[in-house]
Amino acid sequence: MDSYHVLIVEDDKEILEGIGIYLRNQGYIVFQAENGKKGLEILEKETIHLAIVDIMMPVMDGITMTMKLREKFDFPVIMLSAKSEEIDKVTGLNIGADDYVTKPFTPMELMARVNSHLRRYARYLKAVDSVEEKEPENYYVVGGLELNEDTVEVSVDGRAVKLTPIEFKILLLLMKNPGRVFSPDEIYERVWNEKPITTDTIMVHVRKIREKIEINPKEPKYLKVVWGVGYKIEKY
């Protein structure tokens, strides 16, 4: 891929332009919108590989926009939030955001997150595009839970389940090692391929995976928590 397309959705013009400058300097093609409604309009017209979305915006906020875009798109979403918006950050992760950066932030921090997520997304796209060339398939089954690493598909009792790339990688790691308990730090290092900045996101992603693969997320059959230690896929 020659250049990745990054969408910035931010109502503060100074921040909007500043992020755009740094992204363009790194060779990214940048699209900009000042609210969630206009951001969604851009998504209908352009191919986007990553979105940076502010939480608090007029017309349509970032939470609503992310929830709507997740109905159609699986590219990474990084949310921008003020320190006072802690609850909103958790809400954003719950409805499909992959990461968040707290204002004020340094350009280097944001660019590091962008580059990291795009590297993972590129590997995800490559896996999807090369499905027919890979043989044999990497296929994992735990009870009624099935995961095909080659086709990047998950199903429960024959019902297809749509996961984000990060959710898929977490579930893949656990299903490859049924019965083994992984700490949040180890999951972060294995999935993000870097030392943990924070492991709070792991808890949120695990909760989202449960909501998608469990009949009753409060009494999970597959994805279990070992209190004080970490998470595992139950061995059948």
Side-chain angles (χ1 to χ4, degrees):
M1 189 175 297
D2 296 330
S3 296
Y4 289 108
H5 296 183
V6 178
L7 171 64
I8 313 168
V9 188
E10 166 66 68
D11 64 318
D12 185 315
K13 291 185 178 181
E14 186 174 340
I15 295 176
L16 181 68
E17 293 301 328
I19 296 174
I21 290 172
Y22 280 97
L23 287 169
R24 292 187 185 95
N25 285 342
Q26 292 204 13
Y28 296 123
I29 295 174
V30 176
F31 298 86
Q32 296 173 311
E34 62 267 26
N35 59 63
K37 184 175 182 294
K38 291 193 175 181
L40 291 176
E41 291 173 358
I42 291 175
L43 291 179
E44 294 300 326
K45 301 174 184 177
E46 306 291 343
T47 298
I48 299 297
H49 303 110
L50 180 143
I52 301 170
V53 182
D54 186 30
I55 288 181
M56 297 299 292
M57 294 182 292
V59 185
M60 180 185 290
D61 61 76
I63 299 294
T64 303
M65 177 189 167
T66 301
M67 186 165 56
K68 288 181 177 294
L69 74 83
R70 274 292 175 252
E71 296 174 1
K72 295 183 179 180
F73 306 102
D74 58 8
F75 55 74
V77 175
I78 300 175
M79 303 211 81
L80 303 179
S81 68
K83 288 184 178 180
S84 61
E85 298 161 5
E86 191 71 32
I87 294 178
D88 289 331
K89 289 189 294 189
V90 174
T91 302
L93 291 169
N94 268 324
I95 52 88
D98 297 277
D99 204 350
Y100 62 82
V101 176
T102 302
K103 299 176 183 178
F105 53 83
T106 65
M108 289 182 63
E109 176 190 5
L110 181 59
M111 292 305 108
R113 302 283 185 97
V114 168
N115 294 336
S116 179
H117 281 288
L118 283 173
R119 282 196 299 270
R120 286 193 295 274
Y121 190 55
R123 290 194 292 268
Y124 171 77
L125 292 177
K126 186 176 180 181
V128 173
D129 290 341
S130 60
V131 165
E132 295 181 357
E133 301 174 6
K134 292 186 177 181
E135 206 54 53
E137 293 182 343
N138 296 312
Y139 194 68
Y140 305 92
V141 179
V142 177
L145 178 62
E146 302 177 45
L147 183 148
N148 190 322
E149 186 177 4
D150 291 336
T151 60
V152 197
E153 293 177 325
V154 176
S155 66
V156 180
D157 298 327
R159 173 181 59 87
V161 175
K162 185 174 177 59
L163 301 179
T164 67
I166 290 294
E167 291 167 356
F168 183 86
K169 284 180 174 290
I170 292 173
L171 185 60
L172 173 62
L173 172 65
L174 298 177
M175 288 191 68
K176 277 185 172 181
N177 303 274
R180 179 183 168 184
V181 181
F182 287 85
S183 69
D185 280 354
E186 187 173 7
I187 293 174
Y188 194 101
E189 289 181 10
R190 294 284 198 97
V191 173
W192 274 260
N193 294 317
E194 60 191 25
K195 292 294 182 181
I197 299 173
T198 175
T199 57
D200 292 346
T201 58
I202 300 299
M203 177 181 66
V204 177
H205 286 308
V206 166
R207 186 186 309 137
K208 290 300 296 180
I209 295 171
R210 274 180 168 172
E211 290 173 357
K212 295 176 180 180
I213 69 172
E214 303 285 1
I215 295 175
N216 182 359
K218 293 183 179 179
E219 296 182 8
K221 177 181 179 182
Y222 300 111
L223 210 173
K224 301 290 186 71
V225 60
V226 180
W227 295 107
V229 183
Y231 304 96
K232 69 174 181 176
I233 285 290
E234 196 66 274
K235 196 171 185 177
Y236 280 79

